[in-house]
Amino acid sequence: MKKRWPITILYRAFSSSTTSTTASFPLKHVKKSNFDSALSSLRHHVQAADFVAIDLEMTGITSAPWRDSFEFDRFDVRYLKVKDSAEKFAVIQFGVSPFRWDPLKQSFITHPHNFFIFQRQELPLDGAAYEFLCQTTSMDFLAKYQFDFNACIHEGVSYLSREQEDKALKHVNSTYEDESLDSWHSLKEIRDTHLFNIPDILFAERMKDRLSEWLGGLLRNRDGGSEVQPSFNDSKQQFETIFFKMRPAISLNGFTSHQLLLIQLVVRKHFKDLAYLRVSGENSCSQNVIVYIESESDKKMLMKEVKDEQKIDAEMSIKASIGFRHVIDLLSSEKKLIVGHNCFLDIAHIYSKFFGPLPLTAEEFISSVNKYFPHIIDTKILLNSNSILQQRMKKSSTSLSKAFSVLCPQIALGSKSTHLALQPSVKVEVEVDDIRSSNWNSGVKHEAGYDAFMTGCVFAQACSHLGIDFKQQSSSENLAHNEKLREHVNLLYLSWTNGEIINLSTGNRTSESLASNKRKNHYPKILFECIVIVWGFPSHLKAWDIRECISKVYGPTSVISVYHVDETAVFVQFSRAEMVSKFLDLKGSLDRNNDPISVLHPLAKLLEGGNTCAASYETYKEICSSTVSKVLFADQAKAVGIKWKTKLVESSDKTKEHESLRKVKAVNSDPSCGERTKNKNFDDHPCSFNGSRRTNTNLPIELLSEIFEELTDCENISHRAAVCMSFMASCHQNFLPSTFISSSISFLHCSHNHHQNLALSSNVQTHKHHQMFLPQLKESRCASTSYDGWLLTLPFDRKQNLYLSNPFARDRIKLGTAQALRVVTSISPLDPKCVVLDIHK
Amino acid sequence: MVPKFKPSPLRIRSFCTKTVQQNPHHWPIKQITKTNFNESLSEIKNHISSSDFIAVSLQNTGSFSSPWHRVSTFDTPETAYLKAKFAAERFQILQFAICPFKLQASKVIAYPYNFHLFPRDELKMGMPSYSFTCQTSYLTAMAKEGFDFNTCIYDGISYLSEAQESTVKVRMGNPMAVDHATKSSSSPALSVADTVFIERVRSRVKHWKNACTDSDIKTEAALVTSLRKIVLGGEQFGSRPSMTIDVCSERQVQLVLKMLEDFSDVLVPLIIPAKGGGTQAVRAVLTSSDEDKHLLKRELQTFEFEQNKRVRGFREVIDLISASQKPIVAHNSLNDFTFIHSKFLAPLPPNMNEFICSLRLAFPQVIDVNYLLKDIGPVKKMTNISATIAYLKNRFFAPIEMEIPNQANENEGKIHGHNVVKICQLFGKLCSILKITPDAIESSDDFLASAINRYANIFYSLPGSSQEPTNEEIRGWTNDKRKVSCEDVVFLWGFRERISAGILKNMLQGSHEVFAEAFNVRMVDRSCAIVVFGKPGLSNTFKNVMNSKEVSGPLREMVSDGLKAAGYETYQRVCSSGLWESALADALDKALASHNCLSEAAYETKQSEIYLSNELINLAEL
């Protein structure tokens, strides 16, 4: 299987890896500590910007090798694959680079930001833990480019998606409003539990004494008594008198949770005018207090007060954990032109991380994206679809770093090479923390911030080549509405592999149409209804074997291509759509019947092992839509819960197919009567024939005999005999009665020359002939048998033994001294249960 | 068991923080990464072979994704295994600490090592793992401890499991020397075909050998030599001439090997594996003398050794531990050993029994300190080792002196892997409390063996639940000392969310007569509860009622609101068919749906019911 790099960012970087320098490119790194200040400055930059370039770094691209992008991906399947990737992997770095045209300086000013992001579970949300997948190759790749994982995990900015925020707010509302005061979780009532052991009882008594003492003191105090609280001194740390919501209270410190439980019990049981509360104090640690209350209504008031405060706190903490999403909200609300490079996956990531779960269909996704980001431009499409730019690119690769170095050499090389100034170039200046620089070392680090910067530069330069004059461009006008850009806005590569482009504003899909396209089309147009997916077949079968196997049944032109999804699964593309249902029907019936006839069927090779499954393209889509990701496709299908072996397709000619199938079986199960009417001599011919071959013209025997007369070469005869039934019958009648017999299963014909020990095998499907050296053929003739690949060797000397031999395995089985002309074996001769039938005159 | 001495709660705390927290930061635990791995290996090997026990402790990227995925008290060993398996297959080990140690009187002499691992695809074959899952909470917690992720990812040691190694070997197609096991299979009667085959090969080999050894060749022109080479099919193997003999079956391999024995004075046979498994060819290498032959064999061995080392990576250490056959001490053995099995041995088998069998081959004795703890008395379930040590310290007099003769760590970075030393310490304490005394270890190995055997290989005695019994519901369970048969357990779901077990119990109490008897309710997660019936048979009555039309009264009301019930076998099916939805209710619904559409499933249930009736879950152990 050919090696495919699944990672788009990967090849972007591989080409740029040659110039790795340590000199730093001015880039604003944003982490938890400086996020707030960076956000406010970024806000101004984005508001003033003409466009904003973005780039993302993820922990992986494909969750399993078969989830990679294939030519055989229909757009909906492609979307499912992108969806899977965006849902499973995490974004760990986000580059934002707002570009603004400075009319004074006649150049672009950009502020490249490099955000480290890492989603932490900051809110006590219920249920599933946050988790993400890491693809080991991607991690290793990031490590190669010195990605700072510590900065990301230790100090990355966390975030909440809009959906998570809504959920959290709803959760807060329901906990603080819906339920009655008593079942409120932080004041959870405890049932009367019996105190089991002496220590607990003693402790409870002590607490009771202390509390009543405190209460007594409090009441005396209020009644104008003096400050008497003598016995509390020893445990001042534990029982600290404070004021809680204008009420006297005790703050409990240094107790174990069990002790607190006992105290709570005591308060409930014995003190009507005390209330036990657990409130979240400062530093987010909870504080346990016992508050003095005047009456039941006072208690309610207190509870409400506490509750409201806690609700506000909870809402505040939710707001605080929005984090990096503020940046996305900013980009979305400003409706600026977003520029990315091959950014469909990036957009999907942004959607799933910061808005909500990805919709089930590509259509819904596109319309929602368009709502959030009305203008997106993909520089990769821009470069590929415009002929002026293609010329500029000199047909080089459109990977980001390549495009950057070709289009913006003066920037890439840090304005050092003056001789390149011949071509009109857009000037770009970088400003970080109010320090402007127009001269820098070409810091080609593989970082989101730098990639975003490169994307922006490529875009600016491309615009200038397209004839957009930034000097004329008024600052109020949105670049996205520019005439020259209009046809490129909102087009994204759904899949770079097969050049399918989707228009985000209309939802239309088009294939990349440019003739100048560098990509070669390896595959003819794919009709998905002609595709069957087969998996679980014996592991030694390769695409070619499978093609051969199926061609034996449906003819050499039936299969257009066989494509490996991974080592356990293939797509088989048939030439006609109805063959899909035919194939699945046939396979289904072979699965059911495990008789020797099915074993002899050409497809048996494919079905060996009994785990081979097949289904139409729709099933493939279904498997792709699962959230499970097993490494091997066959395991995935099992994990998805597919228990059948063949999924039939409803089709109109199904009944017809069944009929012909039965006919084939009739021939198979009783070969001697199969074609009796045609020729009597043929009766003893044991070879089985399969249905598809009978479609060849059956010429009248008289005519055939004429042809025979012209043929002198026995090889030729054997080839023709393999094509036509009546030809073969006639052949038997008239010529060479036993020098050759063609097995319809193996398509192996042997002619021989008893002096040379050579045999010739020919394959009518491929029209290839193979000569082979057969030591077994010494002093004997050769005939074939009914089982794949086995030859019958007939000795010239009749007293010698007959052998079944396998020219490939160099194996030989002695049959004795019979005078057989043909031999039928029930199954492979290697099987101990094999029954051999020999026929002689 | 009433403790003999109970100090004031405050004193316990301060006491334990002083003794346990202080020490660990001075424990010199050797940190091992890719850079110092090879040089440390021999030292580790020595320590392993001279130790009595080996403690292990893992730092993973996650454990359970949803509350119900955690192994809990209502799990049978089988479902517990399936849960552990699910975790082991998804998450990754980032740190693997081992500590070979000796017990001498009240002294533990320990040699702790902490290995940083990262599954790097060094051979570009998608191994050892294509991807792995991380839980943010785990990573954040590791970050808080000062874990250096850059070291881990840049410089972590990679590895391959045994199963992966053998596929890699096949795929790399490196020639293997013939060991006598493959050679000495009984030779069946030769058929004519065999004889022909052998003779043909023999003559080829003879010609080639003669041509090679023929001294006249040297006088020939270069062209003639190369022509001869082509005709004879000779190749070079290193500096020696060799010849490849193609074979079609394992039988032919045997035949060729047997035939080559006749030339064993100068020819060394090598087997070249085929890509899809099996043998592709046999290669005969010509050596000039007996001496040269031994030299070749040695060369092959070192080549294989070097390659294995490169391929195995960290598994070399696992192999060392396995080869030493020393008892292994772990804290949460089910969890740790499912990880170890899946990362370093082979993919996890589908059930617990196979797992234990397979594991026992590599590690004959695994001791879980949690199980030792159980013998001491009704110890509260503790997953925190430090807390357990503190607990023991307060109740028993068993001072253990830790001696770590490792040299001071040369690494500047933070020291990780304290847990493994704590496990040693805890084990030492437990041994002294349980009178598996170090003296006994020294005096008689048999005694030790029998004592250890009592505790070895019990993977599932205490489920790894660390929930503190603070909730009222769970307290109710703690008092319940009975073992409950799975048959008496019913899973309930479809009620409104955020209901408490108490409320649910109240609702159920009046709803049907089966709830007139004693029963217990406990929440599994927010979506699902389990009900345990005190009286056998009631669970079936209840399930039948739920499925019949006769359901009436308040229960009917609840069913109309969406309440559903299923027996324990449905839960087992959820685990065995891998329906790891985030809410148990969804998983149970799915299991029921797939169950209904499968006709053959009726048979399955019958079996599992039989199986179930013998199965007891221990609800008292919390």
Side-chain angles (χ1 to χ4, degrees), chain A residues 613-624:
Chain A
C613 302
S616 66
Y617 197 80
E618 290 310 311
T619 306
Y620 173 61
K621 183 185 166 187
E622 195 185 300
I623 291 170
C624 281

Side-chain angles (χ1 to χ4, degrees), chain A residues 3 62-65 118-120 126-137 139-140 143 146-150 153-154 171 174 179 191 193 196 257 259 631 643 803 808-812, chain B residues 9 64-67 90-91 118-121 124 129-136 139-140 143 146-150 153-154 171 191-193 196 200 248 252 470 472 475 479 498 526 582 598:
Chain A
K3 183 83 190 163
T62 51
S63 57
F118 186 73
Q119 188 173 29
R120 282 180 208 84
D126 60 297
Y130 289 174
E131 38 182 54
F132 61 89
L133 207 59
C134 296
Q135 197 178 344
T136 42
T137 45
M139 300 297 274
D140 210 20
Q146 257 84 61
F147 185 89
D148 192 347
F149 294 97
N150 285 339
I153 298 167
H154 291 235
H171 180 78
S174 67
E179 290 168 38
R191 270 183 285 158
T193 30
F196 288 111
S257 62
Q259 290 165 338
V631 173
K643 297 202 173 87
Y803 286 98
F808 305 108
R810 311 255 156 95
D811 222 334
R812 206 147 79 135
Chain B
F64 55 91
S65 320
S66 293
R90 293 165 64 235
F91 298 109
F118 187 75
R120 210 171 291 101
D121 188 3
K124 303 277 172 258
S129 77
Y130 186 81
S131 60
F132 58 90
T133 309
C134 296
Q135 240 160 6
T136 45
L139 297 191
T140 321
F147 184 76
D148 188 346
F149 290 94
N150 288 347
I153 297 167
Y154 296 175
R171 276 208 235 170
S191 67
V192 181
V196 171
R200 197 167 54 82
C248 313
Q252 287 188 347
T470 49
E472 203 44 25
R475 272 175 60 89
N479 303 332
R498 278 198 299 279
R526 278 178 40 173
S582 64
L598 276 176

Side-chain angles (χ1 to χ4, degrees), chain A residues 357-626:
Chain A
L358 286 165
L360 290 173
T361 65
E363 288 84 356
E364 283 174 68
F365 170 67
I366 286 156
S367 67
S368 317
V369 166
N370 200 232
K371 225 166 43 205
Y372 292 125
F373 299 110
H375 317 291
I376 300 174
I377 272 200
D378 190 326
T379 44
K380 195 171 180 87
I381 291 195
L382 190 66
L383 296 179
N384 273 314
S385 58
N386 188 285
S387 49
I388 305 168
L389 293 176
Q390 288 226 314
Q391 213 179 336
R392 287 279 172 194
M393 286 293 294
K394 304 178 186 94
K395 307 217 163 174
S396 75
S397 127
T398 49
S399 73
L400 178 60
S401 55
K402 191 80 194 167
F404 184 60
S405 58
V406 172
L407 287 181
C408 321
Q410 79 291 354
I411 304 173
L413 298 173
S415 322
K416 280 174 206 149
S417 333
T418 42
H419 65 278
L420 285 161
L422 295 170
Q423 57 171 318
S425 59
V426 177
K427 274 205 286 178
V428 177
E429 287 186 11
V430 178
E431 188 182 305
V432 170
D433 294 331
D434 298 326
I435 299 161
R436 252 189 218 204
S437 46
S438 52
N439 202 344
W440 53 80
N441 289 321
S442 55
V444 188
K445 274 180 167 184
H446 188 69
E447 268 179 315
Y450 188 71
D451 280 358
F453 166 74
M454 288 201 289
T455 308
C457 292
V458 166
F459 176 69
Q461 190 63 55
C463 282
S464 131
H465 289 317
L466 286 175
I468 297 168
D469 192 355
F470 294 107
K471 290 162 203 157
Q472 309 288 310
Q473 185 92 359
S474 76
S475 55
S476 58
E477 195 191 337
N478 194 332
L479 198 58
H481 297 307
N482 190 299
E483 247 173 65
K484 284 160 184 146
L485 273 182
R486 197 178 290 157
E487 58 175 311
H488 303 292
V489 170
N490 283 343
L491 294 183
L492 289 187
Y493 276 120
L494 195 51
S495 155
W496 162 243
T497 328
N498 55 19
E500 198 158 12
I501 293 171
I502 194 151
N503 189 326
L504 291 180
S505 31
T506 62
N508 292 338
R509 281 176 288 117
T510 42
S511 272
E512 198 162 57
S513 52
L514 277 185
S516 58
N517 199 336
K518 293 167 285 291
R519 206 170 327 126
K520 286 175 218 108
N521 267 328
H522 295 288
Y523 295 92
K525 182 149 176 54
I526 295 157
L527 295 168
F528 294 99
E529 63 271 21
C530 295
I531 289 178
V532 171
I533 182 151
V534 184
W535 69 91
F537 46 80
S539 58
H540 58 86
L541 290 185
K542 296 285 162 270
W544 198 87
D545 304 314
I546 292 165
R547 188 198 186 111
E548 189 194 43
C549 194
I550 297 171
S551 298
K552 276 182 194 171
V553 185
Y554 296 109
T557 57
S558 59
V559 177
I560 291 183
S561 58
V562 175
Y563 184 89
H564 267 288
V565 177
D566 69 358
E567 61 216 84
T568 63
V570 288
F571 284 124
V572 177
Q573 191 186 7
F574 285 104
S575 53
R576 292 192 313 281
E578 67 264 23
M579 297 183 87
V580 168
S581 59
K582 275 188 194 173
F583 173 77
L584 294 176
D585 280 342
L586 174 63
K587 190 189 164 289
S589 70
L590 287 173
D591 286 339
R592 285 190 297 278
N593 312 322
N594 200 20
D595 49 24
I597 301 304
S598 311
V599 173
L600 286 176
H601 197 277
L603 274 186
K605 196 171 155 195
L606 185 64
L607 306 184
E608 223 172 273
N611 295 319
T612 309
C613 302
S616 66
Y617 197 80
E618 290 310 311
T619 306
Y620 173 61
K621 183 185 166 187
E622 195 185 300
I623 291 170
C624 281
S625 71
S626 157

Side-chain angles (χ1 to χ4, degrees), chain B residues 113-129:
Chain B
Y113 293 90
N114 187 43
F115 295 87
H116 296 253
L117 305 187
F118 187 75
R120 210 171 291 101
D121 188 3
E122 275 172 348
L123 301 163
K124 303 277 172 258
M125 287 182 184
M127 285 182 214
S129 77

